[in-house]
Amino acid sequence: MTALNAVADLTVEDEVAIVTINSPPVNALSRDVREGLMLGVEKAEADATVKATVIVCAGRTFIAGADITEFGKPHAAPYLPDVLDRIENAKKPVVAALHGTALGGGFEVALTAHYRIAVPSAKCGLPEIKLGLIPGAGGTQRLPRLVGVETALEVILSGTPFSARDAKQWGVVDALAEEGKLAEGAVAFAKSLIAARAPLKKVRDRDEKLAAARGKPEIFEAIRQAHAKKFRGFEAWEKAILSVKNAVDLPFDEGVERERAMFMALLGSTQSKAQRHVFFAERAAAKIADIGPDTPTKPIARVGVIGAGTMGGGIAMNFLNAGIPVTIVETSKEALDRGVSIIQRNYENTAKKGRLTMAEVEARMGRLSLTLDFRALAEADLVIEAVYESMDLKKLIFEKLDGVAKPGAILASNTSYLNVDAIAAATKRPEDVLGMHFFSPANVMRLLEIVRGEKTSKTVLATVAALAPKIGKVGVTVGVCYGFVGNRMLAERQREAGKLILEGATPAQVDRVLTDFGLPMGPFAMSDLAGLDIGWSAETSKGESIRDILCEEGRRGQKTGAGFYDYDEQRNAKPSAHVETIIRAFAAAKGIAQRDITDAEILERLIYPMINEGAKILEEGKAQRASDIDVVWIMGYGWPVYRGGPMFYADTVGLNTVLDKLKEFQAKFGDDFRPAALLEKLAAAGGSFSKA
Ligand code: 3H9
């Protein structure tokens, strides 16, 4: 074995050179990896005893793509296109041997090899779209040559990896190796190529799969139309379609050149920077300052859920999906029946869409137990309380739970606002208590706010943090404060939205500004969807807010066919002149002058106070890092990923701009806009939240 450099070595075995890349964690295409590949192929070429070369990776995966940490920094030679040319133009066959995930630039390396072999568990893919990019090393030119433009665009636009078996069937890999015996399989395959004097097959020379799309721009237009809604607001996807079209219309080298130019332009875009930020933010969120790999965790083999409402049912589904049995406790048989039928219907709908088999539905439902007997919770390793937001009720439940749960069980509340320390104080074991705040619909939204109480033990926190990814969630650890991170910031936006409609904006204008910004819904459409009468009661209503007036009129949201908007049978919203009249009259009665308000002011009034609140949350140590706040908003509230989250967005706008605007608003509208000290400090130092 010869070391080629710090991350690559070369072994020659019976006429076959094996270039092994070993650059943990994922063999990303750093300079050293690029150099290793280049040197490996050159050395093999120069060695007269070698007749074929295998490229294989050590560790968990084949090359998982470009090194994202290098993006935006000056690159050092050898550059990837040159490395790829070297591989493709080698005079002896090169075989890429794939395991783990051959993604992005890694898959593009494999596509320049003359042959590919993979173990059945391997996956290939071009996930660049998820980083706001298109493949930049020939992926949009080579993949369609192997699989045709439609499949290639499916792969590129979804960013989802495909299996080695699909790859074999599509002709992307030439052979499958036995699981666990990739290197041996690849060497044997290389020897068979030598014996057969197999040709140097270059993907770039293949044309037959492109022929079907030649002279048919309508194919690309149809794909564009089919994806327009999903990609509203995103930039890279249309470039991906154009680039694949170039593969059909242009000579290979020109297609590659244009692909590279588009890739480079996207690499410098704010959208791609935002999406790369989110990639790392999601991974950073899993790291908790005082918890490490040595912190012990507890096994969670059975979960109890208190409450079979929408939240309780959704929470239970996460565990059932992950193979963990769940017991739901309720106080009435009707509530249990209603809850279980919602879960069953949810699963059946998924099955109808072909994403679950009926056998899987049965297996999941089979893991669910229902009971009216609170004592059944004695078996659970983790109990999650999901009843409505009442501190008195929650305290009662936790006191009772304290008497029932086994020693060492983790006791969690799904409260979205309330003080977890006060809830914990209702037990004699506050160290076992924490918040697990799921977001609605709890079986769909990926966010889990993990609320660390004052006395929550490290073991309990570490256990829940490790559990989050197992149930498909991104856990973000937050501190105890009213509304935690997400709802605390949301309250700022809601307050301003309510003020803006009294000052002259319409609910539809406010909502549109936010949907134009990229959010799935504005506050008024959201209120109508949730129901305006949540937490409202006819007995106590005094007509003191727009909501009171609407509810008193029976306009309680979508479910009553009217709320802030009017709804037709299909629940399409239409602005309501009647509601606008109510708002105007209310404002007049309160002496609030109405005026035209620009979209720009609406956006700043809604978003900047959220950012300011985010800064206070950081100042108070209720979130560990600004990027955690971004993850909360992206995973829990549909903040557009291409804007990177509110704190990243503040960085892109410029902290001084945000600060100046807050001060201007403070002078005009009062202390709701008083800037946070941290924002002042960072702005004065020319800093940013991402680098704070
Ligand atoms: C590209 O290739 C562009 C080309 O078309 C053109 C080039 C010219 N770079 O996710 P994990 C780190 S674009 C740097 O927890 P898993 C990650 O941050 C790129 N670092 O593990 C983490 O670090 P830490 C296209 C990377 O097993 C650690 O590795 N490729 C990269 O759950 C483990 O990651 C992609 O988009 C990287 N490329 O999943 C692939 N990838 O431990 C992105 C990972 O310090 N990567 N890290 O937090 C993935 O999808 C997953 O990481 C993977 C492993 C499936 C590979």
Side-chain angles (χ1 to χ4, degrees), residues 159-222:
T160 309
F162 53 95
S163 69
R165 290 191 200 283
D166 279 345
K168 175 73 174 58
Q169 205 192 343
W170 296 344
V172 172
V173 303
D174 304 279
L176 291 178
E178 198 181 318
E179 199 66 55
K181 295 199 173 151
L182 179 61
E184 299 93 310
V187 169
F189 181 73
K191 284 184 185 166
S192 73
L193 295 176
I194 298 167
R197 294 178 184 279
L200 297 171
K201 280 203 327 201
K202 294 185 191 174
V203 175
R204 59 173 286 155
D205 295 336
R206 306 205 17 199
D207 195 39
E208 65 279 8
K209 288 275 170 66
L210 297 181
R214 196 148 283 138
K216 292 195 183 135
E218 62 276 15
I219 295 182
F220 296 95
E221 182 49 28

Side-chain angles (χ1 to χ4, degrees), residues 24-26 28-29 60-71 75 80-81 101 103-106 108 125-128 130-131 133-139 161 259-260 263-264 267 279-280 283-284 287:
V26 296
L29 285 161
R60 68 215 251 200
T61 182
F62 191 74
I63 301 164
D67 187 337
I68 309 172
T69 58
E70 270 191 1
F71 284 165
H75 255 49
L80 190 57
T101 40
L103 300 180
E108 290 172 305
L126 294 170
E128 286 85 346
K130 296 189 174 165
L131 300 173
L133 298 169
I134 65 169
E259 176 200 77
R260 183 88 185 150
F263 170 83
M264 292 309 290
L267 199 59
F279 176 87
F280 288 114
R283 283 156 181 81
K287 297 178 177 114

Side-chain angles (χ1 to χ4, degrees), residues 551-570:
C551 283
E552 284 168 18
E553 273 195 12
R555 299 185 70 102
R556 297 187 183 177
Q558 280 197 21
K559 60 185 175 190
T560 57
F564 281 101
Y565 295 89
D566 291 327
Y567 293 89
D568 64 16
E569 312 272 89
Q570 282 74 46

Side-chain angles (χ1 to χ4, degrees), residues 626 647 650-651 655 682-683 685-692:
M647 307 318 276
D651 289 347
L655 297 193
L682 287 174
S688 69
F689 287 117
S690 323
K691 296 202 185 81

Side-chain angles (χ1 to χ4, degrees), residues 234-269:
F234 286 89
E235 286 162 5
W237 67 288
E238 287 191 285
K239 303 273 191 292
I241 297 177
L242 175 62
S243 196
V244 171
K245 187 166 181 295
N246 285 344
V248 176
D249 296 341
L250 302 176
F252 179 83
D253 286 329
E254 206 177 323
V256 165
E257 206 174 294
R258 292 207 190 175
E259 176 200 77
R260 183 88 185 150
M262 284 191 269
F263 170 83
M264 292 309 290
L266 288 168
L267 199 59
S269 71

